[in-house]
Amino acid sequence: MSEWLQVLPQQRERYRREMQRLAAQYFTRRERLSPSETIEQIRVLGAPTVKELCGPFRWRQTPYLRPIFERFWSRGFSEGAVAKASQLGFTDSILINITAYAAYARPGSISILVPSDVFAEDFSKDKIDPLLEHSPIVAAAFASARSRDANATLLNKKMTSGYRLRIFGANSVKRLKSFAGIYRLLDETDDFENDPKQGDPEDLLDRSALTGSDHAVRKLKGTTPTLDHGRGWKDYLAGDQQKLHIRCPSCSVPFVLSWQLIRWDKTTEHHPETAHAVCPHGHRIPHELKESLVTAGEYIAMNPKATMPSWHIPGFVSFAEQMAWPKIVTKFLEAGKDPAKLKVVFNTRFGEPFEDRSGERIVVKSLRDRRRIYAAEVPAGVGVLTLTVDVQRQWLEVLLVGWGAGEESWRIHHWRLEGDTSVTSAVPGKLTVWDRLDTIIQGVYVHEAGVALAPAITLIDAADGERSQVVYDFSKARTAWNVYAARGEKTFRGKDRPSRSAMVRMGKASDQAVRLVLMNTYAAKDAVFGRLRIEKPGFGHMHFKLTPDDSPEFPPDFYAQWENEKKVTQPIYRNSTVMEEVWITTGRNEWPDLEMMALCALHQLGDVVRHNLVQLVAQVAAQGDALRAQKALGLPRFPVAAERPSTPGRDRPR
């Protein structure tokens, strides 16, 4: 009895201390942690081969992903999309952390959708199993996490709360239709392939039976974009387009860290090891400051009117060794102009889509098979004529085109005037090419209605620097005949005005007061090559005149010239990730240039002509009817207009 009395106080003291410990654990008021702070408390990383990555998870490795994780758990969130470079930690820091936090703090069924079943198995082995192995607090939320029963299969794991984690391949249509979680995580959506019978896997996931609780569905999609019309990039553009803005340490101006702002020293050779960033004001930012600037950065929506949040994360913000700026520059330089290598750089380093159009030639099918015999020199549908001239050193290419309703066009005549185009003074008994061109400009061409038509406007290419002055002098002396010098610009780049055509605008040649027509080359070529594909007569259709193959008027090699133009995509300037579509020429292209100029000539006549082509065609037909009636009645013919003046300079008649 005495021994028992001696032991009892010790047991009482042990009991008191245990109660104090339990009270401190469950009843002491503690500061509430945010979801990202909770993850740092419950998740442990285990990477035996990389010692520095072992231990508690910390956001300092991927601070640019923390705001996305917090937004997922914010009130009102339902869906979001992330377009990113590769190897940014998105899967590990976002998808796996969402899985861990949902199992521990916000129980609900989880669906993870990846491109294929093989990918799903690898995802479970490489991501989910290490999570449960090294994070005991998270593992405690899963039932029989380490056993081999029905509650812990590779792609289907049950939680102690009763909910399930399921991992699907996008090709597992039957499994997709049977289950959908409260939390829906989609990885690498650009690699999803539609089922030929069932359709889009994401839609199947959204339509499948909801398994879970009364909570609202939360869905997050992430991918490395591949094409500008791909699933991932379209999802990003449909959202508010948030981009990480950092502040320049010199001027404190916030800006987006992008490829356009990455620079390196270039003398006779490139020095990628000197890679650095520049702020919009030109201040140099060394690579060593990247970590601190990115950690302090914040996301700003570029499309704030959108309701769905979306984020773009380039590789320039990553702390991974392979994403260091010098290494990214090295990869870009190694890619050169190889589209296959550039695609890898754009997708995996820049986190932007890339489409190779370098080999996308404009193929014109069976143009020669569409040739037809005209009933007259100028067919019935023509209401106005335009003349265009391409200037070469030893010849002139001249094209006469007729225009009708809906800008339907007919090729009337083509001439190649051979001779030295620098010679303007005629030798006795021999005309220069410019004298012969003058004859064509002054000529009249018989319409099917019996009316003689003359070119309403003539455009002469003055882009050749060696012949520009000759063109200026020739056109200036014939301004009264609507003869203009013309020069192409790739694009007007914002100089267009709504009141003017997007094809042409007026300019001036140096100080000579020469009226110069500036042509929007790319816009005109886009229009012409688009119309080449219109095979049925009508709006925009292009008619071709049937001539013998040995005829010099429309020789066979002229049709082959259409294949020498192609449209490619390239950076808008060196080191830029902003791409633009441009036209390049791989051979002779006189005919495409003449057609482009012909369309610009029609636009130069103004909307009064372009919008009234139907009335002009009817007017020509009415004149023809009047001539036939006049002839039938035996009335004298109308007086013929005087021949066009040929006197050059200011002394010619006005």
Side-chain angles (χ1 to χ4, degrees):
M1 187 69 179
S2 60
E3 294 178 359
W4 171 253
L5 291 177
Q6 293 177 1
V7 173
L8 188 58
Q10 299 175 1
Q11 296 293 339
R12 275 203 310 262
E13 181 64 20
R14 188 182 304 169
Y15 177 77
R16 185 181 65 79
R17 291 178 180 177
E18 182 65 18
M19 292 300 296
Q20 288 179 344
R21 187 189 66 79
L22 292 175
Q25 179 177 352
Y26 292 103
F27 298 104
T28 302
R29 186 173 182 177
R30 291 177 294 177
E31 182 180 358
R32 186 175 181 180
L33 300 178
S34 66
S36 60
E37 292 171 338
T38 302
I39 284 296
E40 293 186 331
Q41 297 292 325
I42 66 173
R43 188 173 174 202
V44 179
L45 300 177
T49 58
V50 186
K51 186 176 180 180
E52 59 270 17
L53 296 182
C54 296
F57 175 86
R58 293 293 181 260
W59 287 104
R60 63 172 176 266
Q61 296 294 334
T62 54
Y64 45 85
L65 296 177
R66 187 170 188 168
I68 301 176
F69 180 79
E70 288 287 352
R71 181 66 182 273
F72 182 88
W73 297 109
S74 64
R75 180 174 298 179
F77 179 90
S78 60
E79 183 177 358
V82 179
K84 59 181 181 62
S86 62
Q87 304 300 319
L88 291 185
F90 173 80
T91 301
D92 195 65
S93 296
I94 298 295
L95 303 188
I96 301 303
N97 280 347
I98 289 176
T99 302
Y101 187 76
Y104 171 76
R106 302 246 188 122
S109 52
I110 307 171
S111 297
I112 300 178
L113 184 61
V114 293
S116 66
D117 286 337
V118 175
F119 197 106
E121 294 179 1
D122 292 341
F123 187 94
S124 179
K125 294 176 183 178
D126 299 337
K127 302 297 181 182
I128 301 299
D129 287 352
L131 170 69
L132 303 182
E133 179 181 355
H134 299 288
S135 304
I137 298 178
V138 178
F142 285 83
S144 304
R146 298 183 181 180
S147 65
R148 297 191 177 186
D149 59 18
N151 293 327
T153 62
L154 195 62
L155 303 180
N156 186 348
K157 300 183 185 296
K158 188 176 182 180
M159 306 177 206
T160 55
S161 58
Y163 300 113
R164 287 186 178 274
L165 162 66
R166 292 194 180 184
I167 308 172
F168 302 92
N171 55 348
S172 302
V173 176
K174 294 182 179 179
R175 294 185 66 226
L176 278 175
K177 295 171 64 176
S178 63
F179 177 91
I182 294 298
Y183 307 114
R184 303 176 183 182
L185 310 177
L186 290 76
D187 196 17
E188 298 299 345
T189 57
D190 263 21
D191 295 333
F192 289 3
E193 295 184 2
N194 295 345
D195 185 88
K197 295 182 179 180
Q198 302 290 340
D200 182 68
E202 183 180 346
D203 290 341
L204 290 174
L205 181 67
D206 291 338
R207 293 200 304 266
S208 56
L210 183 64
T211 303
S213 63
D214 297 332
H215 300 305
V217 172
R218 298 173 186 264
K219 182 169 73 171
L220 183 65
K221 300 176 284 187
T223 189
T224 299
T226 55
L227 302 174
D228 55 12
H229 55 78
R231 181 195 303 266
W233 195 248
K234 289 196 294 186
D235 288 338
Y236 164 71
L237 295 179
D240 59 7
Q241 302 174 27
Q242 297 185 40
K243 294 187 176 183
L244 186 68
H245 286 64
I246 65 174
R247 291 188 176 273
C248 173
S250 299
C251 59
S252 299
V253 173
F255 65 95
V256 178
L257 188 60
S258 61
W259 180 241
Q260 295 96 318
L261 300 178
I262 301 296
R263 299 286 184 271
W264 61 92
D265 296 341
K266 298 180 282 286
T267 53
T268 56
E269 295 180 353
H270 293 274
H271 299 279
E273 68 279 1
T274 63
H276 58 277
V278 294
C279 77
H281 290 169
H283 295 118
R284 184 178 180 126
I285 303 174
H287 177 262
E288 291 73 20
L289 295 180
K290 178 177 74 170
E291 187 170 341
S292 60
L293 295 177
V294 170
T295 302
E298 61 175 328
Y299 283 100
I300 298 178
M302 313 304 291
N303 182 29
K305 294 183 179 180
T307 56
M308 182 184 77
S310 64
W311 297 266
H312 177 245
I313 312 174
F316 314 112
V317 304
S318 173
F319 300 161
E321 183 180 354
Q322 65 269 27
M323 290 297 182
W325 297 344
K327 293 195 174 184
I328 294 179
V329 172
T330 301
K331 286 292 183 182
F332 178 79
L333 295 176
E334 290 175 352
K337 295 183 179 181
D338 186 344
K341 294 181 179 179
L342 281 175
K343 180 178 177 62
V344 175
V345 174
F346 271 77
N347 296 163
T348 63
R349 262 63 177 185
F350 301 168
E352 296 181 0
F354 177 82
E355 289 199 49
D356 173 31
R357 295 187 177 92
S358 60
E360 185 179 313
R361 292 177 179 270
I362 301 297
V363 178
V364 183
K365 182 181 179 181
S366 304
L367 287 184
R368 299 182 72 236
D369 295 340
R370 287 162 49 181
R371 296 178 299 171
R372 296 293 182 268
I373 297 176
Y374 296 164
E377 185 179 28
V378 180
V382 175
V384 65
L385 298 178
T386 62
L387 194 69
T388 53
V389 185
D390 185 41
V391 181
Q392 304 293 329
R393 291 184 179 181
Q394 296 298 324
W395 73 88
L396 298 178
E397 299 279 359
V398 186
L399 180 65
L400 182 68
V401 177
W403 299 90
E407 297 189 11
E408 190 175 5
S409 57
W410 289 259
R411 270 85 244 140
I412 308 300
H413 287 299
H414 163 261
W415 298 270
R416 173 174 288 180
L417 308 179
E418 295 186 352
D420 189 350
T421 55
S422 65
V423 178
T424 57
S425 301
V427 178
K430 186 176 181 180
L431 297 176
T432 67
V433 291
W434 297 104
D435 294 329
R436 295 158 62 191
L437 176 61
D438 220 355
T439 303
I440 295 173
I441 295 173
Q442 297 181 47
V444 291
Y445 306 92
V446 181
H447 193 276
E448 189 174 340
V451 179
L453 295 182
I457 186 174
T458 301
L459 292 188
I460 307 175
D461 183 20
D464 185 353
E466 296 182 5
R467 303 293 188 264
S468 296
Q469 190 60 49
V470 176
V471 174
Y472 293 157
D473 294 340
F474 183 89
S475 60
K476 184 177 180 180
R478 292 158 181 80
T479 304
W481 304 349
N482 262 3
V483 178
Y484 298 97
R487 178 176 293 171
E489 290 187 354
K490 292 181 179 180
T491 176
F492 291 163
R493 292 198 182 281
K495 299 175 184 176
D496 308 320
R497 292 174 293 173
S499 60
R500 293 284 295 168
S501 167
M503 293 287 183
V504 294
R505 64 184 182 89
M506 293 304 298
K508 186 174 69 173
S510 64
D511 298 326
Q512 305 173 58
V514 175
R515 299 185 67 190
L516 185 66
V517 176
L518 300 177
M519 303 176 294
N520 190 335
T521 305
Y522 287 177
K525 286 187 177 181
D526 285 342
V528 170
F529 278 85
R531 295 180 182 189
L532 284 173
R533 295 184 172 90
I534 303 176
E535 298 184 357
K536 295 182 178 180
F539 178 83
H541 180 73
M542 299 171 66
H543 295 266
F544 298 91
K545 184 179 180 180
L546 179 60
T547 58
D549 288 341
D550 58 351
S551 170
E553 188 169 17
F554 292 101
D557 67 319
F558 254 40
Y559 290 89
Q561 289 183 14
W562 295 102
E563 303 284 349
N564 295 334
E565 294 277 356
K566 65 177 181 179
K567 200 173 187 180
V568 301
T569 301
Q570 64 183 26
I572 196 169
Y573 54 83
R574 178 176 290 185
N575 298 343
S576 172
T577 58
V578 179
M579 308 297 286
E580 66 175 355
E581 294 184 332
V582 299
W583 287 90
I584 64 174
T585 303
T586 58
R588 291 183 56 188
N589 68 331
E590 293 92 350
W591 195 355
D593 281 351
L594 288 171
E595 291 286 358
M596 180 270 295
M597 293 174 63
L599 182 60
C600 291
L602 179 66
H603 279 253
Q604 179 61 26
L605 289 174
D607 293 341
V608 174
V609 173
R610 290 180 54 237
H611 295 168
N612 292 282
L613 286 171
V614 175
Q615 291 83 343
L616 291 175
V617 173
Q619 179 180 335
V620 172
Q623 291 176 359
D625 293 338
L627 285 176
R628 285 189 291 271
Q630 177 188 11
K631 184 176 181 180
L633 294 173
L635 298 175
R637 295 188 62 184
F638 297 123
V640 180
E643 184 180 357
R644 286 183 170 179
S646 59
T647 307
R650 63 183 182 182
D651 297 326
R652 60 180 166 78
R654 296 288 181 179

